[in-house]
Amino acid sequence: MATLGIPANTIAVLQKYDFNFQKKFGQNFLIDTSVLDRIIEASHITKDDMVLEIGPGIGTMTQYLCEAAREVVAVEIDKNLIPILEDTLAEYDNVTVINQDILKVDIRQLAEQRNGGKPIKVVANLPYYITTPIIMGLFESHVPLDSITIMVQKEVADRMQVGPGTKDYGALSLAVQYYAKPEIIANVPPNCFMPRPKVGSAVIRLTRYETPPVDVMDEKLMFRIIRASFNQRRKTLANGLKNGGIPITKDELAAILEKMGLPENIRGEALTLAQFAELSNFIKSIKN
Ligand code: SAM
């Protein structure tokens, strides 16, 4: 294959099709073969795997994925890229390109139809403007997933890894760490893309847990509590829960916090994942 990861090849394709980058779609195409190699290596793809690629662009990484996987489904929103992908992926018969907004695709159904409901691998150089909804959507809709290996904004990769006590800690950190083990694979500078993004990027692998690291009676309730806590992160947990409409009285919460050995005026942002799980289990048992 003539790799598009070499800048001259990407430029040739863009010129051939007179392609205009669409800023609104977060289009920054990878032009570095060593980064592509790292992503493929980190994703541990085998010939048994079905891979979902989100936003194939001109097909740069898709070519690598087709070589490594049994089957690739690539979902691209920009209709102007579809004829280009037909060209750059012409030599592969194990790829399907879907011209859709990934947020509107039923990925569970896709995994069911194409992979018999077995866990799929997601690999993507994500459009940064929708990183969080994509990741949350994958986890919360319980798509059968093995791992997600993605390029994201560096700061977002950091947010996925941290615990309490840093400004980056938030609802995304907790969701990611409840569902998966996050590992930063590589930092990627702006000059590896065309056009260059304004921010640094990182490749992160999220390996889905078979069972989450904490026991939670009602996941939805725990995430409602987490969101309520971080919506007003400078307020106390008690105020955050009240304003977030969590059904618990001040006195009930005070009693729970005492049992958990936490001060009454604690802020939600100070709680670990295990503590959010414990708190939500207490609230659930009161409400049952
Ligand atoms: N994978 C290519 C690469 O590495 O060179 C392109 C990556 S670029 C950062 C993001 C890609 O996602 C673009 O091709 C963009 O058109 C596409 N995209 C943006 N929003 C999307 C959405 N909602 N659904 C599917 N694809 C989307």
Side-chain angles (χ1 to χ4, degrees), residues 150-194:
I150 40 173
M151 177 89 71
V152 297
Q153 200 174 321
K154 169 84 178 83
E155 194 195 311
V156 176
D158 291 340
R159 240 187 273 159
M160 291 185 205
Q161 279 206 318
V162 292
T166 66
K167 69 168 179 30
D168 286 337
Y169 185 56
L172 181 66
S173 330
L174 286 153
V176 164
Q177 292 164 30
Y178 175 70
Y179 290 111
K181 179 169 153 229
E183 290 162 280
I184 292 187
I185 304 295
N187 288 321
V188 183
N191 63 5
C192 295
F193 302 88
M194 185 185 296

Side-chain angles (χ1 to χ4, degrees), residues 25-30 55-57 76-77 101-102 125 127 129-130:
F25 290 145
Q27 292 177 338
N28 301 96
F29 298 162
L30 256 172
E76 173 56 61
I77 197 169
D101 176 348
I102 188 66
N125 171 13
Y129 73 107
I130 44 168

Side-chain angles (χ1 to χ4, degrees), residues 82-158:
I82 305 305
I84 303 184
L85 288 163
E86 273 165 21
D87 183 359
T88 59
L89 302 175
E91 71 180 87
Y92 299 103
D93 58 10
N94 60 343
V95 61
T96 309
V97 175
I98 300 176
N99 184 200
Q100 251 287 22
D101 176 348
I102 188 66
L103 298 179
K104 296 193 179 135
V105 175
D106 185 342
I107 304 171
R108 250 180 95 151
Q109 195 186 47
L110 203 67
E112 190 56 53
Q113 286 167 348
R114 310 239 173 189
N115 210 34
K118 288 200 304 296
I120 62 167
K121 289 182 175 154
V122 175
V123 183
N125 171 13
L126 283 186
Y128 294 169
Y129 73 107
I130 44 168
T131 301
T132 303
I134 290 175
I135 294 174
M136 298 301 282
L138 284 167
F139 285 139
E140 286 181 345
S141 59
H142 292 268
V143 171
L145 268 182
D146 187 278
S147 62
I148 307 178
T149 308
I150 40 173
M151 177 89 71
V152 297
Q153 200 174 321
K154 169 84 178 83
E155 194 195 311
V156 176
D158 291 340

